[in-house]
Amino acid sequence: MQDINVKITLKNGQSYSAVLGSDAPLLSELHVSLAGQGVGNLDQQISLLQFPVDEGRAALTFPSSALESVLTSPPVLLQAETGSDQQTNALRSQHSDPGLAGASHVEIGEFLTPDENRQLLQHALESEANFEGSTVYVEGEKSEAHETRKSRVHFGIRDTEWRNLFLKRLNLHLPHISSTLGLDTSGINDSEIQLTASNDGDFFLAHADSDKSDPNVHARYITFVYYFHRLPKTFSGGNLLFYKVHPDDPAAPVENVTRIEPVNNTMIVFASDRWHEVDMVGCPSQEFADSRFTINGWLRRNPV
């Protein structure tokens, strides 16, 4: 991975600089945002971007429509296809799942500052003794259903300042999340949050996070999953799979799956009633520090 010196200029004339890895999702998001400007009928696709400033000690959040230019050194070469059709599809493909009423998910790169990202990993490693086996709700009761889900969870994260940081940061993105997913976020009044570690052989079979018939989860409205891990990544798998319909449904279409790879410092947000799965993690070292870590949780809204 190569370091790229990036300078962005906003339409108000202000400029900011940072060093990003050549594989940082933010690099492509910046260029996609530029490509989409001027393409007709894309107002609903305006997103919030976060750019690290002050050597990673802070983050600048701004709408993608405010971006004027991106200067990279050494140069970051763009793909040859730059026509308006390709630009439109590139911008929409970040969020859209064709054939559904709403988008499958919203992806937010560089969700934390680099310093926050490193501190969160350190917190997870120092909290290893506080992790316990994950559970699922079965007929209204918590159960360690290892045939359905296997991982380790630290619930104590909800009593730390990390909870406040994540909820405040998510709140900045709610207007974009609401418009992209087609969800009414005005009635959100509660939240859950946990820290999950997935190691060798861990998984979570296809499921939805909300169930109108279960009082424990019926208010879950929006699910969020933030990925963080050691660099370079020492595990494989652990991809998030979105399904248009449950994979066991005989009527499932051929193109039924959207696959999201866990990328460090990336937040994925989606409707809690969306069918999804975490495929099996492979971690040869089996060391806790090499796990696939997530901050995951739910924004709750009482059903109407």
Side-chain angles (χ1 to χ4, degrees), residues 34-95:
L34 284 177
Q37 293 185 23
V39 180
N41 197 29
L42 283 177
D43 290 344
Q44 73 276 18
Q45 298 293 344
I46 292 175
S47 61
L48 287 178
L49 299 176
Q50 285 191 317
F51 191 79
V53 296
D54 194 18
E55 297 182 345
R57 290 185 288 271
L60 172 73
T61 301
F62 59 94
S64 57
S65 59
L67 187 62
E68 177 68 23
S69 65
V70 178
L71 176 67
T72 57
S73 178
V76 174
L77 300 179
L78 302 180
Q79 293 181 353
E81 293 182 343
T82 56
S84 61
D85 288 342
Q86 286 77 14
Q87 293 166 358
T88 302
N89 291 334
L91 188 60
R92 287 177 175 165
S93 67
Q94 298 180 91
H95 312 294

Side-chain angles (χ1 to χ4, degrees), residues 110-237:
E110 307 300 323
F111 185 76
L112 299 182
T113 68
D115 275 354
E116 290 168 343
N117 176 259
R118 287 189 290 268
Q119 291 167 17
L120 180 59
L121 179 59
Q122 187 62 33
H123 176 80
L125 299 183
E126 293 173 352
S127 303
E128 180 179 1
N130 298 318
F131 282 74
E132 57 189 87
S134 58
T135 59
V136 296
Y137 282 101
V138 179
E139 296 181 352
E141 300 293 333
K142 277 190 175 182
S143 171
E144 290 189 4
H146 293 313
E147 71 280 2
T148 300
R149 181 189 187 191
K150 184 173 177 288
S151 57
R152 296 171 65 189
V153 180
H154 174 34
F155 294 102
I157 194 78
R158 62 194 175 198
D159 301 319
T160 70
E161 284 302 310
W162 287 110
R163 175 192 178 109
N164 295 332
L165 173 63
F166 269 82
L167 294 180
K168 287 179 180 178
R169 199 67 56 83
L170 273 170
N171 191 57
L172 293 173
H173 295 273
L174 271 185
H176 169 53
I177 292 168
S178 174
S179 62
T180 303
L181 299 181
L183 298 175
D184 178 10
T185 58
S186 62
I188 290 174
N189 57 8
D190 197 7
S191 63
E192 303 172 65
I193 192 169
Q194 55 189 237
L195 198 168
T196 302
S198 301
N199 207 280
D200 196 51
D202 289 352
F203 64 94
F204 200 163
L205 295 184
H207 64 286
D209 291 337
S210 64
D211 183 345
K212 293 180 180 179
S213 65
D214 187 339
N216 295 293
V217 298
H218 76 288
R220 289 178 177 175
Y221 190 57
I222 292 176
T223 298
F224 57 91
V225 181
Y226 170 79
Y227 297 113
F228 65 107
H229 50 75
R230 272 182 168 180
L231 294 175
K233 185 173 69 173
T234 51
F235 65 88
S236 61

Side-chain angles (χ1 to χ4, degrees), residues 4-23:
I4 306 294
N5 295 298
V6 181
K7 179 180 179 181
I8 63 169
T9 301
L10 304 184
K11 291 180 179 178
N12 62 7
Q14 293 181 312
S15 296
Y16 302 89
S17 298
V19 177
L20 301 177
S22 57
D23 61 349

